[in-house]
Amino acid sequence: MSTFLWGTATAAYQIEGAVTEDGRGPSIWDTFTREPGRVRDGHTGDVACDHYHRTAEDIALMSGLGVNAYRFSISWPRVLPAGTGPINPRGLAFYDRLVDDLLAAGITPVPTLFHWDLPQPLQDRGGWLNRDTGAAFADYATAVATRLADRVETWITLNEPFVHMAFGYALGVHAPGRALLLDALPAAHHQLLGHGLATRALRAAGAKKVLISNNLTPVWPASADPADLAAADAYDTLHNRLFNDPVLTGAYPDLSAFGKDAPGDDLDVISTPVDGLGVNYYNPTRIAAPAGPGFPFSDAGLPGHPTTAFGWPVVPDGLRELLTGLKDRYGERLPPLYVTENGCSQADTVAADGTVHDPERIAFLDGHVKAVQRARDEGVDVRGYFVWSLLDNFEWAEGYNQRFGLVHVDFATLRRTPKSSYHWFKAHLGQT
Ligand code: GBH
């Protein structure tokens, strides 16, 4: 039996800063954050947590926490500033050192190749609406794995292609800020194609395990009314099945509720076997019949539960339901599961005595870790759990206004302060 991975997760644009250093090229988030009105308070990732210059301190924080794994993302525009073409040696060297330093600290590196920071030159050619981006992604995967796969065993291709498609291309609330509604669907297919091509490229370069991390949600119909049931089924198709079925079964779900034909090509590449499925879980979603034109469903909200600072409902058993539901749906085709993100934002402040007291986060993590254990008791093969996040960081359209870290960051001084949840998690790991 392999060791259960207990870790923390971060993403490059959310923590690194140093956006013009050592030859890094611009990403779509550098562009988006400069457009007025896109991000709350006009915040950008220019400095973020300054992790690029504080990796030693951040690795020490993880050593102190006692985790055995770290999920981070590699910035494509640091490695390939133009998106394709020549490698930027200084960009790749940063991750090479990071991997060495993690291994020296006894922490297994688990890199994600794409966590939403597409090189801007590729967006100028359509980004994920352009099928060539899939091939470019595979070349980038080759460049990184050729350098790191001698030491990195487990790789994640994409982070949450659903959220990137929905927020970035359908609704326009994330970079690249396109609001194409259902015409965003090609961004799903090309991300999936990129995932499949990159999976093959990673293996060819020596990667042992390849995962994709999908943001998944249990879908709860608002009532037993057939219109609500049909809407819930449509939402489940779009949010969960669109990015799981092609990878795990080689077939798209029926998209007729969206008035679309599913793509018929590339499924052999997309369904290249993976060694695990990354599951990012935040909350269930309650769905009702559409309230107007546009999408064949509407979000009914989920009252009656505690909420995070973001207003998201806290439903720990939703994670058990999600994990067991995957086993029920995919059966023998389901690879081992890794919870690659789970966590909550809270309005954390440093008290006069220098401590950060976050009992709601402790309750959140305790409830969700127990839910994972219940799923394992019910026979689901779960092999890892990563807290989102190690540090408070740049929370996309919310800027620095939502704090998800086990470690508080004062964004004026960049001072790190472990929260009480950090001490709780450390003690909890000691018992597992
Ligand atoms: C992840 O996305 C990202 O991978 C990560 O970068 C990010 O920082 C982190 O989570 C925290 O946001 O409207 O109440 O039903 C999470 C995607 C999409 C999950 C919105 C929760 C809606 C909650 N999220 N979703 S609700």
Short mmCIF file of all heavy atoms in Angstrom, two decimals, residues 10-11 14 71 115-116 159-160 162-163 167 174 213 215-217 235 239 280-286 299 301-302 307-308 310-313 340-345 388-389 393-396 398 402 404, ligand 1:
data_model
loop_
_atom_site.label_atom_id
_atom_site.label_comp_id
_atom_site.label_asym_id
_atom_site.label_seq_id
_atom_site.Cartn_x
_atom_site.Cartn_y
_atom_site.Cartn_z
N THR A 10 -1.27 24.81 -3.36
CA THR A 10 -1.19 26.22 -3.77
C THR A 10 -1.20 26.26 -5.29
O THR A 10 -1.20 25.22 -5.95
CB THR A 10 0.12 26.90 -3.29
OG1 THR A 10 1.24 26.25 -3.93
CG2 THR A 10 0.29 26.85 -1.78
N ALA A 11 -1.18 27.48 -5.86
CA ALA A 11 -1.04 27.63 -7.31
C ALA A 11 -0.11 28.81 -7.59
O ALA A 11 -0.09 29.79 -6.84
CB ALA A 11 -2.39 27.88 -7.97
N GLN A 14 -1.21 32.48 -7.67
CA GLN A 14 -1.81 32.90 -6.41
C GLN A 14 -0.79 33.18 -5.31
O GLN A 14 -1.12 33.86 -4.34
CB GLN A 14 -2.82 31.84 -5.92
CG GLN A 14 -4.00 31.70 -6.88
CD GLN A 14 -5.02 30.71 -6.38
OE1 GLN A 14 -4.94 29.53 -6.67
NE2 GLN A 14 -5.99 31.18 -5.61
N ARG A 71 1.26 20.02 -3.08
CA ARG A 71 0.74 20.25 -4.42
C ARG A 71 0.92 21.73 -4.76
O ARG A 71 0.36 22.59 -4.09
CB ARG A 71 -0.75 19.87 -4.50
CG ARG A 71 -1.36 20.22 -5.84
CD ARG A 71 -2.82 19.79 -5.97
NE ARG A 71 -3.28 20.20 -7.29
CZ ARG A 71 -4.33 20.99 -7.53
NH1 ARG A 71 -5.09 21.43 -6.53
NH2 ARG A 71 -4.64 21.33 -8.75
N HIS A 115 -2.65 25.68 -13.84
CA HIS A 115 -3.63 26.19 -12.88
C HIS A 115 -3.99 27.62 -13.33
O HIS A 115 -3.77 28.59 -12.61
CB HIS A 115 -3.06 26.14 -11.46
CG HIS A 115 -4.09 26.19 -10.37
ND1 HIS A 115 -4.18 25.26 -9.37
CD2 HIS A 115 -5.08 27.09 -10.13
CE1 HIS A 115 -5.18 25.58 -8.55
NE2 HIS A 115 -5.74 26.70 -8.98
N TRP A 116 -4.47 27.71 -14.60
CA TRP A 116 -5.18 28.87 -15.14
C TRP A 116 -4.33 30.02 -15.66
O TRP A 116 -4.87 30.99 -16.19
CB TRP A 116 -6.19 29.42 -14.12
CG TRP A 116 -7.16 28.39 -13.60
CD1 TRP A 116 -7.36 27.13 -14.06
CD2 TRP A 116 -8.07 28.55 -12.50
NE1 TRP A 116 -8.34 26.50 -13.34
CE2 TRP A 116 -8.78 27.35 -12.36
CE3 TRP A 116 -8.33 29.60 -11.62
CZ2 TRP A 116 -9.75 27.16 -11.37
CZ3 TRP A 116 -9.30 29.41 -10.65
CH2 TRP A 116 -9.99 28.20 -10.52
N ASN A 159 -5.78 21.80 -13.63
CA ASN A 159 -6.60 22.09 -12.46
C ASN A 159 -7.97 22.59 -12.89
O ASN A 159 -8.08 23.61 -13.59
CB ASN A 159 -5.96 23.18 -11.59
CG ASN A 159 -6.86 23.51 -10.39
OD1 ASN A 159 -7.02 22.68 -9.50
ND2 ASN A 159 -7.48 24.68 -10.38
N GLU A 160 -9.01 21.87 -12.51
CA GLU A 160 -10.39 22.32 -12.66
C GLU A 160 -10.71 22.90 -14.04
O GLU A 160 -11.09 24.07 -14.16
CB GLU A 160 -10.72 23.37 -11.59
CG GLU A 160 -10.54 22.85 -10.18
CD GLU A 160 -11.03 23.83 -9.11
OE1 GLU A 160 -11.40 24.95 -9.45
OE2 GLU A 160 -11.05 23.44 -7.93
N PHE A 162 -13.31 22.56 -15.63
CA PHE A 162 -14.68 23.10 -15.62
C PHE A 162 -14.68 24.56 -15.19
O PHE A 162 -15.32 25.41 -15.82
CB PHE A 162 -15.60 22.29 -14.67
CG PHE A 162 -16.93 22.99 -14.46
CD1 PHE A 162 -17.90 22.99 -15.45
CD2 PHE A 162 -17.17 23.72 -13.29
CE1 PHE A 162 -19.10 23.68 -15.28
CE2 PHE A 162 -18.37 24.40 -13.12
CZ PHE A 162 -19.33 24.38 -14.11
N VAL A 163 -13.98 24.86 -14.11
CA VAL A 163 -14.00 26.24 -13.58
C VAL A 163 -13.32 27.17 -14.58
O VAL A 163 -13.79 28.29 -14.82
CB VAL A 163 -13.35 26.30 -12.19
CG1 VAL A 163 -13.27 27.74 -11.69
CG2 VAL A 163 -14.15 25.45 -11.19
N PHE A 167 -15.83 29.96 -15.67
CA PHE A 167 -15.55 31.31 -15.19
C PHE A 167 -14.75 32.14 -16.21
O PHE A 167 -14.91 33.35 -16.29
CB PHE A 167 -14.78 31.27 -13.85
CG PHE A 167 -15.62 30.85 -12.67
CD1 PHE A 167 -16.88 30.30 -12.82
CD2 PHE A 167 -15.14 31.02 -11.37
CE1 PHE A 167 -17.66 29.93 -11.73
CE2 PHE A 167 -15.91 30.66 -10.26
CZ PHE A 167 -17.16 30.11 -10.44
N HIS A 174 -13.38 35.28 -14.64
CA HIS A 174 -11.95 35.00 -14.50
C HIS A 174 -11.28 35.28 -15.85
O HIS A 174 -11.96 35.34 -16.89
CB HIS A 174 -11.69 33.52 -14.18
CG HIS A 174 -11.90 33.15 -12.73
ND1 HIS A 174 -11.65 31.89 -12.26
CD2 HIS A 174 -12.32 33.87 -11.66
CE1 HIS A 174 -11.90 31.84 -10.95
NE2 HIS A 174 -12.32 33.03 -10.57
N SER A 213 -7.06 17.06 -11.98
CA SER A 213 -7.85 17.51 -10.82
C SER A 213 -9.11 18.20 -11.30
O SER A 213 -9.05 19.26 -11.93
CB SER A 213 -7.04 18.48 -9.96
OG SER A 213 -6.11 17.78 -9.16
N ASN A 215 -12.85 19.88 -10.31
CA ASN A 215 -13.70 20.45 -9.26
C ASN A 215 -15.06 19.78 -9.38
O ASN A 215 -15.72 19.93 -10.40
CB ASN A 215 -13.80 21.97 -9.47
CG ASN A 215 -14.81 22.61 -8.54
OD1 ASN A 215 -15.86 23.06 -8.96
ND2 ASN A 215 -14.51 22.62 -7.26
N LEU A 216 -15.44 19.02 -8.38
CA LEU A 216 -16.66 18.22 -8.47
C LEU A 216 -17.63 18.63 -7.36
O LEU A 216 -17.21 19.09 -6.30
CB LEU A 216 -16.32 16.73 -8.38
CG LEU A 216 -15.35 16.23 -9.47
CD1 LEU A 216 -14.97 14.77 -9.22
CD2 LEU A 216 -15.93 16.40 -10.87
N THR A 217 -18.90 18.44 -7.63
CA THR A 217 -19.91 18.84 -6.65
C THR A 217 -21.08 17.85 -6.67
O THR A 217 -21.56 17.50 -7.75
CB THR A 217 -20.41 20.27 -6.95
OG1 THR A 217 -21.34 20.68 -5.94
CG2 THR A 217 -21.08 20.39 -8.31
N TYR A 235 -27.18 19.98 -14.95
CA TYR A 235 -26.05 20.62 -14.25
C TYR A 235 -24.96 19.59 -13.93
O TYR A 235 -23.76 19.85 -14.08
CB TYR A 235 -26.52 21.32 -12.97
CG TYR A 235 -25.40 22.15 -12.40
CD1 TYR A 235 -25.07 23.36 -12.99
CD2 TYR A 235 -24.63 21.69 -11.34
CE1 TYR A 235 -23.99 24.10 -12.53
CE2 TYR A 235 -23.55 22.42 -10.87
CZ TYR A 235 -23.24 23.63 -11.47
OH TYR A 235 -22.17 24.36 -11.03
N HIS A 239 -21.13 20.07 -15.03
CA HIS A 239 -20.11 20.32 -14.00
C HIS A 239 -19.26 19.08 -13.72
O HIS A 239 -18.05 19.19 -13.56
CB HIS A 239 -20.81 20.78 -12.71
CG HIS A 239 -19.87 21.31 -11.67
ND1 HIS A 239 -20.08 22.49 -11.00
CD2 HIS A 239 -18.69 20.83 -11.18
CE1 HIS A 239 -19.08 22.71 -10.16
NE2 HIS A 239 -18.23 21.71 -10.25
N ASN A 280 -11.35 18.09 -6.29
CA ASN A 280 -11.37 19.34 -5.52
C ASN A 280 -12.81 19.54 -5.06
O ASN A 280 -13.72 19.66 -5.88
CB ASN A 280 -10.94 20.52 -6.39
CG ASN A 280 -9.47 20.45 -6.80
OD1 ASN A 280 -8.77 19.51 -6.44
ND2 ASN A 280 -9.03 21.44 -7.54
N TYR A 281 -13.01 19.55 -3.76
CA TYR A 281 -14.38 19.65 -3.22
C TYR A 281 -14.53 20.87 -2.32
O TYR A 281 -13.72 21.07 -1.40
CB TYR A 281 -14.73 18.39 -2.40
CG TYR A 281 -16.05 18.55 -1.66
CD1 TYR A 281 -17.27 18.54 -2.34
CD2 TYR A 281 -16.08 18.77 -0.27
CE1 TYR A 281 -18.47 18.72 -1.68
CE2 TYR A 281 -17.29 18.95 0.40
CZ TYR A 281 -18.48 18.93 -0.31
OH TYR A 281 -19.66 19.13 0.35
N TYR A 282 -15.56 21.64 -2.59
CA TYR A 282 -15.90 22.77 -1.71
C TYR A 282 -17.30 22.64 -1.13
O TYR A 282 -17.48 22.81 0.07
CB TYR A 282 -15.68 24.10 -2.45
CG TYR A 282 -14.20 24.36 -2.62
CD1 TYR A 282 -13.50 23.90 -3.74
CD2 TYR A 282 -13.46 24.95 -1.61
CE1 TYR A 282 -12.12 24.05 -3.84
CE2 TYR A 282 -12.09 25.11 -1.70
CZ TYR A 282 -11.42 24.66 -2.81
OH TYR A 282 -10.07 24.79 -2.90
N ASN A 283 -18.28 22.33 -1.96
CA ASN A 283 -19.66 22.26 -1.45
C ASN A 283 -20.57 21.58 -2.47
O ASN A 283 -20.26 21.55 -3.65
CB ASN A 283 -20.21 23.66 -1.12
CG ASN A 283 -20.04 24.63 -2.26
OD1 ASN A 283 -19.10 25.43 -2.27
ND2 ASN A 283 -20.93 24.57 -3.24
N PRO A 284 -21.75 21.07 -1.99
CA PRO A 284 -22.75 20.58 -2.94
C PRO A 284 -23.44 21.78 -3.61
O PRO A 284 -23.29 22.92 -3.17
CB PRO A 284 -23.76 19.84 -2.05
CG PRO A 284 -23.12 19.73 -0.70
CD PRO A 284 -22.15 20.85 -0.59
N THR A 285 -24.19 21.48 -4.66
CA THR A 285 -24.90 22.54 -5.39
C THR A 285 -26.37 22.13 -5.52
O THR A 285 -26.67 21.01 -5.95
CB THR A 285 -24.30 22.72 -6.80
OG1 THR A 285 -22.87 22.85 -6.66
CG2 THR A 285 -24.84 23.96 -7.47
N ARG A 286 -27.29 23.04 -5.14
CA ARG A 286 -28.72 22.74 -5.24
C ARG A 286 -29.27 23.42 -6.48
O ARG A 286 -29.07 24.62 -6.69
CB ARG A 286 -29.42 23.23 -3.97
CG ARG A 286 -30.79 22.64 -3.77
CD ARG A 286 -31.24 22.86 -2.32
NE ARG A 286 -32.68 23.10 -2.29
CZ ARG A 286 -33.23 24.31 -2.28
NH1 ARG A 286 -32.48 25.39 -2.26
NH2 ARG A 286 -34.54 24.43 -2.28
N ASP A 299 -29.29 27.98 -10.19
CA ASP A 299 -28.72 27.68 -8.88
C ASP A 299 -29.74 28.10 -7.82
O ASP A 299 -30.09 29.28 -7.73
CB ASP A 299 -27.40 28.44 -8.72
CG ASP A 299 -26.63 28.00 -7.49
OD1 ASP A 299 -27.27 27.55 -6.50
OD2 ASP A 299 -25.39 28.10 -7.50
N GLY A 301 -29.39 27.84 -4.57
CA GLY A 301 -28.81 28.16 -3.26
C GLY A 301 -29.02 27.01 -2.30
O GLY A 301 -29.88 26.14 -2.52
N LEU A 302 -28.24 26.98 -1.24
CA LEU A 302 -28.31 25.85 -0.31
C LEU A 302 -28.38 26.38 1.12
O LEU A 302 -27.39 26.43 1.84
CB LEU A 302 -27.07 24.96 -0.53
CG LEU A 302 -26.99 23.63 0.19
CD1 LEU A 302 -28.23 22.79 0.00
CD2 LEU A 302 -25.76 22.87 -0.29
N THR A 307 -21.96 28.80 6.73
CA THR A 307 -21.29 29.24 5.50
C THR A 307 -19.89 29.75 5.82
O THR A 307 -19.60 30.16 6.95
CB THR A 307 -22.08 30.36 4.79
OG1 THR A 307 -22.30 31.41 5.73
CG2 THR A 307 -23.40 29.88 4.23
N THR A 308 -19.04 29.73 4.80
CA THR A 308 -17.69 30.27 4.94
C THR A 308 -17.76 31.79 4.71
O THR A 308 -18.82 32.33 4.38
CB THR A 308 -16.76 29.66 3.88
OG1 THR A 308 -17.14 30.18 2.59
CG2 THR A 308 -16.86 28.14 3.85
N PHE A 310 -16.81 33.30 2.27
CA PHE A 310 -17.18 33.45 0.85
C PHE A 310 -18.69 33.27 0.68
O PHE A 310 -19.24 33.52 -0.39
CB PHE A 310 -16.47 32.34 0.05
CG PHE A 310 -15.80 32.79 -1.21
CD1 PHE A 310 -14.53 32.32 -1.56
CD2 PHE A 310 -16.43 33.66 -2.10
CE1 PHE A 310 -13.91 32.72 -2.73
CE2 PHE A 310 -15.82 34.05 -3.28
CZ PHE A 310 -14.55 33.58 -3.59
N GLY A 311 -19.37 32.75 1.73
CA GLY A 311 -20.79 32.46 1.63
C GLY A 311 -21.08 31.05 1.13
O GLY A 311 -22.24 30.71 0.89
N TRP A 312 -20.05 30.23 0.97
CA TRP A 312 -20.26 28.87 0.48
C TRP A 312 -20.74 27.98 1.63
O TRP A 312 -20.19 28.03 2.74
CB TRP A 312 -18.96 28.29 -0.10
CG TRP A 312 -18.40 29.06 -1.25
CD1 TRP A 312 -19.00 30.08 -1.93
CD2 TRP A 312 -17.10 28.89 -1.84
NE1 TRP A 312 -18.17 30.55 -2.92
CE2 TRP A 312 -17.00 29.84 -2.89
CE3 TRP A 312 -16.03 28.04 -1.60
CZ2 TRP A 312 -15.85 29.95 -3.69
CZ3 TRP A 312 -14.89 28.15 -2.40
CH2 TRP A 312 -14.81 29.09 -3.43
N PRO A 313 -21.76 27.13 1.37
CA PRO A 313 -22.26 26.26 2.43
C PRO A 313 -21.23 25.22 2.87
O PRO A 313 -20.46 24.72 2.06
CB PRO A 313 -23.48 25.58 1.79
CG PRO A 313 -23.32 25.76 0.33
CD PRO A 313 -22.49 26.99 0.11
N THR A 340 -7.50 16.67 -3.94
CA THR A 340 -6.39 17.57 -4.22
C THR A 340 -6.66 19.01 -3.78
O THR A 340 -5.75 19.84 -3.83
CB THR A 340 -5.99 17.51 -5.71
OG1 THR A 340 -7.17 17.51 -6.53
CG2 THR A 340 -5.20 16.25 -6.00
N GLU A 341 -7.90 19.30 -3.37
CA GLU A 341 -8.20 20.58 -2.72
C GLU A 341 -9.42 20.41 -1.84
O GLU A 341 -10.43 19.82 -2.27
CB GLU A 341 -8.54 21.71 -3.72
CG GLU A 341 -7.37 22.30 -4.43
CD GLU A 341 -7.77 23.46 -5.34
OE1 GLU A 341 -8.73 24.19 -5.02
OE2 GLU A 341 -7.10 23.62 -6.37
N ASN A 342 -9.35 20.98 -0.64
CA ASN A 342 -10.51 21.12 0.24
C ASN A 342 -10.11 22.14 1.29
O ASN A 342 -8.99 22.09 1.83
CB ASN A 342 -10.84 19.76 0.89
CG ASN A 342 -12.00 19.83 1.87
OD1 ASN A 342 -11.88 19.47 3.04
ND2 ASN A 342 -13.14 20.29 1.39
N GLY A 343 -10.99 23.08 1.55
CA GLY A 343 -10.66 24.10 2.55
C GLY A 343 -11.73 25.17 2.54
O GLY A 343 -12.75 25.06 1.86
N CYS A 344 -11.51 26.22 3.32
CA CYS A 344 -12.53 27.27 3.44
C CYS A 344 -11.87 28.62 3.69
O CYS A 344 -10.78 28.70 4.25
CB CYS A 344 -13.49 26.94 4.58
SG CYS A 344 -12.71 26.86 6.20
N SER A 345 -12.56 29.67 3.28
CA SER A 345 -12.10 31.02 3.62
C SER A 345 -12.81 31.45 4.90
O SER A 345 -13.98 31.14 5.12
CB SER A 345 -12.40 31.98 2.48
OG SER A 345 -13.78 32.16 2.32
N TRP A 388 -6.55 23.15 0.82
CA TRP A 388 -6.42 24.44 0.16
C TRP A 388 -6.63 25.48 1.23
O TRP A 388 -7.74 25.61 1.72
CB TRP A 388 -7.44 24.63 -0.98
CG TRP A 388 -7.17 25.92 -1.66
CD1 TRP A 388 -7.68 27.15 -1.35
CD2 TRP A 388 -6.25 26.14 -2.74
NE1 TRP A 388 -7.14 28.11 -2.16
CE2 TRP A 388 -6.25 27.51 -3.01
CE3 TRP A 388 -5.40 25.29 -3.47
CZ2 TRP A 388 -5.44 28.07 -4.02
CZ3 TRP A 388 -4.61 25.86 -4.46
CH2 TRP A 388 -4.64 27.22 -4.72
N SER A 389 -5.61 26.17 1.70
CA SER A 389 -4.30 26.28 1.09
C SER A 389 -3.25 26.36 2.20
O SER A 389 -3.59 26.55 3.37
CB SER A 389 -4.28 27.53 0.21
OG SER A 389 -3.03 27.69 -0.43
N ASN A 393 -3.79 33.71 0.10
CA ASN A 393 -3.17 34.07 -1.17
C ASN A 393 -4.13 34.85 -2.06
O ASN A 393 -5.22 35.23 -1.62
CB ASN A 393 -2.62 32.81 -1.86
CG ASN A 393 -3.71 31.79 -2.15
OD1 ASN A 393 -4.76 32.12 -2.68
ND2 ASN A 393 -3.46 30.52 -1.78
N PHE A 394 -3.72 35.07 -3.30
CA PHE A 394 -4.52 35.85 -4.26
C PHE A 394 -5.70 34.99 -4.71
O PHE A 394 -5.53 34.04 -5.48
CB PHE A 394 -3.63 36.23 -5.46
CG PHE A 394 -4.39 36.94 -6.55
CD1 PHE A 394 -4.73 38.28 -6.43
CD2 PHE A 394 -4.77 36.27 -7.70
CE1 PHE A 394 -5.44 38.93 -7.44
CE2 PHE A 394 -5.48 36.91 -8.72
CZ PHE A 394 -5.82 38.24 -8.58
N GLU A 395 -6.89 35.33 -4.22
CA GLU A 395 -8.07 34.51 -4.50
C GLU A 395 -8.78 35.05 -5.76
O GLU A 395 -9.92 35.49 -5.71
CB GLU A 395 -8.98 34.47 -3.27
CG GLU A 395 -10.27 33.67 -3.45
CD GLU A 395 -10.14 32.25 -3.99
OE1 GLU A 395 -9.13 31.58 -3.75
OE2 GLU A 395 -11.07 31.84 -4.71
N TRP A 396 -8.06 35.03 -6.89
CA TRP A 396 -8.65 35.31 -8.20
C TRP A 396 -9.49 36.60 -8.19
O TRP A 396 -9.00 37.63 -7.77
CB TRP A 396 -9.41 34.08 -8.71
CG TRP A 396 -8.58 32.83 -8.66
CD1 TRP A 396 -8.78 31.71 -7.90
CD2 TRP A 396 -7.36 32.55 -9.41
NE1 TRP A 396 -7.80 30.77 -8.13
CE2 TRP A 396 -6.92 31.25 -9.04
CE3 TRP A 396 -6.59 33.26 -10.35
CZ2 TRP A 396 -5.75 30.66 -9.57
CZ3 TRP A 396 -5.45 32.67 -10.87
CH2 TRP A 396 -5.05 31.40 -10.49
N GLU A 398 -11.53 37.76 -6.29
CA GLU A 398 -11.71 38.36 -4.96
C GLU A 398 -10.44 39.03 -4.45
O GLU A 398 -10.43 39.57 -3.34
CB GLU A 398 -12.13 37.29 -3.95
CG GLU A 398 -13.49 36.69 -4.22
CD GLU A 398 -14.61 37.70 -4.04
OE1 GLU A 398 -14.62 38.41 -3.03
OE2 GLU A 398 -15.47 37.79 -4.94
N GLN A 402 -10.23 37.01 0.40
CA GLN A 402 -10.69 35.73 0.96
C GLN A 402 -9.46 34.95 1.41
O GLN A 402 -8.57 34.67 0.60
CB GLN A 402 -11.47 34.93 -0.09
CG GLN A 402 -12.74 35.59 -0.58
CD GLN A 402 -13.84 35.63 0.48
OE1 GLN A 402 -13.78 34.94 1.50
NE2 GLN A 402 -14.85 36.46 0.24
N PHE A 404 -7.80 31.59 2.72
CA PHE A 404 -7.95 30.13 2.77
C PHE A 404 -6.80 29.43 3.49
O PHE A 404 -6.78 28.20 3.58
CB PHE A 404 -8.03 29.56 1.35
CG PHE A 404 -9.38 29.67 0.67
CD1 PHE A 404 -9.72 30.81 -0.06
CD2 PHE A 404 -10.30 28.63 0.73
CE1 PHE A 404 -10.95 30.90 -0.72
CE2 PHE A 404 -11.53 28.72 0.09
CZ PHE A 404 -11.86 29.85 -0.64
C1 GBH B 1 -10.46 26.35 -6.47
O1 GBH B 1 -11.56 26.70 -7.22
C2 GBH B 1 -9.21 26.76 -7.19
O2 GBH B 1 -8.54 25.63 -7.74
C3 GBH B 1 -8.26 27.54 -6.35
O3 GBH B 1 -7.32 28.17 -7.16
C4 GBH B 1 -9.03 28.52 -5.49
O4 GBH B 1 -8.21 29.41 -4.80
C5 GBH B 1 -9.85 27.73 -4.52
O5 GBH B 1 -10.62 26.77 -5.16
C6 GBH B 1 -10.77 28.58 -3.65
O6 GBH B 1 -11.69 29.25 -4.42
O7 GBH B 1 -21.61 29.33 -5.30
O8 GBH B 1 -21.65 28.64 -3.02
O9 GBH B 1 -22.07 27.04 -4.75
C7 GBH B 1 -12.79 26.45 -6.58
C8 GBH B 1 -13.96 26.64 -7.49
C9 GBH B 1 -16.09 27.51 -7.78
C10 GBH B 1 -15.70 26.16 -5.86
C11 GBH B 1 -17.27 28.12 -7.11
C12 GBH B 1 -16.97 26.70 -5.21
C13 GBH B 1 -19.15 27.83 -5.84
C14 GBH B 1 -19.64 27.86 -4.45
N1 GBH B 1 -15.13 27.09 -6.80
N2 GBH B 1 -17.88 27.18 -6.21
S1 GBH B 1 -21.34 28.26 -4.37
#
